[in-house]
Amino acid sequence: MTSAPDTTLYVALHGKLTPHSWRDPSTAASDAYSLFVARSSAMGWLRDPPHDGCGLWGMNDAAYEPTATRMAWFQASLPAHPSSPSGTSPVQPFLACVRDVVTRLGTLHLKAAQILLPPITHQGAPRTEARLLQEAGWFTDLSPRAKTTIRLTLDSGQNPAIRSAAPHLLTWLRDLKQDVLTDLSLTYDGPITLQPAITDTLWHGPANHHITLNATLAEWSLDAIAWLATLLTHAIHQHNIDTPLLLSTALSPGPTSPTGNR
């Protein structure tokens, strides 16, 4: 199964995944693909068959590579005419499914994540600021020690839109009254580069036009990264960017970065 660049959702996790002691990857009956299909089907998120009109995505591919730096990746296709009015880029349920799969496979030590953010189309209603703030309540009661300094890069590939929108985008993000993503600052450091690079045909690649930010995230977890990705999807829609963007986020070096299991 293949999908157009505007309807591809892709997530890659970089770091280390320590397999559970009871699970032998060479003999296990389930792999990342089958576990992802089973979990997204159980939650009602899988379109099966792909054109049945129900569910959020159709499965493309997935892999678990425990000895590689990119230890797991998942790719799905979004419907061209989504049935859900709540938004057309279901990155939060997608990453929730990814989280559940990797938890079944082993203990995750996440160093970086890469997410392809398809643009919100006119068929779906984007999240409002009020809904984003309501979702941010999930992170309210975290320990202050959970706060994590991160870097993030947004790349619009061959489209220069992200660079011209950067000043207004940063102002909009800073003005939003929330405590999940704070201390935003634009940096002129190079972009976060993760290997292997995402295939150019999955978006309008290769990577070329980007902005890189420093920030503080409420916690370093797939839940918080999913909220961040949803916020950015909404923000770029507000600034009329209608091309897929590649989000890369990583722990910043320094004593405030957590070293525990995430």
Side-chain angles (χ1 to χ4, degrees):
M1 183 189 304
T2 59
S3 54
D6 286 356
T7 61
T8 299
L9 187 55
Y10 168 89
V11 173
L13 305 181
H14 293 250
K16 181 180 179 182
L17 190 65
T18 304
H20 294 309
S21 57
W22 62 86
R23 191 177 189 278
D24 183 352
S26 64
T27 60
S30 56
D31 55 14
Y33 181 95
S34 60
L35 284 171
F36 192 90
V37 167
R39 186 58 175 162
S40 54
S41 179
M43 300 301 292
W45 296 330
L46 185 67
R47 295 171 67 89
D48 189 19
H51 308 292
D52 66 357
C54 300
L56 298 178
W57 57 72
M59 189 60 186
N60 284 162
D61 205 355
Y64 164 49
E65 305 161 315
T67 60
T69 301
R70 184 188 68 175
M71 89 291 267
W73 59 269
F74 303 83
Q75 181 189 328
S77 58
L78 304 181
H81 301 285
S83 58
S84 171
S86 62
T88 63
S89 182
V91 68
Q92 283 173 302
F94 193 80
L95 271 171
C97 196
V98 168
R99 177 201 62 209
D100 291 347
V101 169
V102 297
T103 300
R104 184 62 56 88
L105 293 170
T107 301
L108 177 63
H109 306 267
L110 186 65
K111 298 299 183 184
Q114 193 166 66
I115 307 168
L116 183 60
L117 305 177
I120 294 177
T121 65
H122 67 277
Q123 291 94 354
R127 278 174 165 78
T128 64
E129 283 86 344
R131 183 172 176 182
L132 283 163
L133 295 179
Q134 179 174 303
E135 293 169 359
W138 175 247
F139 305 97
T140 299
D141 295 325
L142 292 171
S143 164
R145 295 184 62 188
K147 288 185 179 294
T148 306
T149 55
I150 64 168
R151 293 177 66 227
L152 63 94
T153 294
L154 277 172
D155 198 301
S156 52
Q158 296 302 294
N159 188 328
I162 191 64
R163 286 189 174 177
S164 58
H168 304 289
L169 184 68
L170 192 57
T171 298
W172 187 91
L173 290 168
R174 285 171 172 164
D175 287 346
L176 193 64
K177 304 299 183 183
Q178 50 79 32
D179 296 319
V180 184
L181 183 72
T182 56
D183 304 323
L184 282 162
S185 62
L186 191 65
T187 174
Y188 294 97
D189 294 341
I192 297 170
T193 302
L194 299 174
Q195 296 295 335
I198 183 174
T199 304
D200 291 343
T201 55
L202 295 182
W203 65 312
H204 301 303
N208 189 24
H209 298 284
H210 71 272
I211 60 171
T212 299
L213 304 174
N214 293 323
T216 299
L217 194 62
E219 69 171 357
W220 182 245
S221 69
L222 289 179
D223 280 347
I225 292 170
W227 187 89
L228 164 63
T230 302
L231 170 67
L232 293 174
T233 300
H234 178 71
I236 62 179
H237 176 78
Q238 292 294 307
H239 291 80
N240 301 312
I241 300 175
D242 59 359
T243 188
L245 265 70
L246 189 63
L247 167 64
S248 302
T249 183
L251 291 168
S252 292
T256 59
S257 297
T259 57
N261 299 342
R262 296 282 176 182

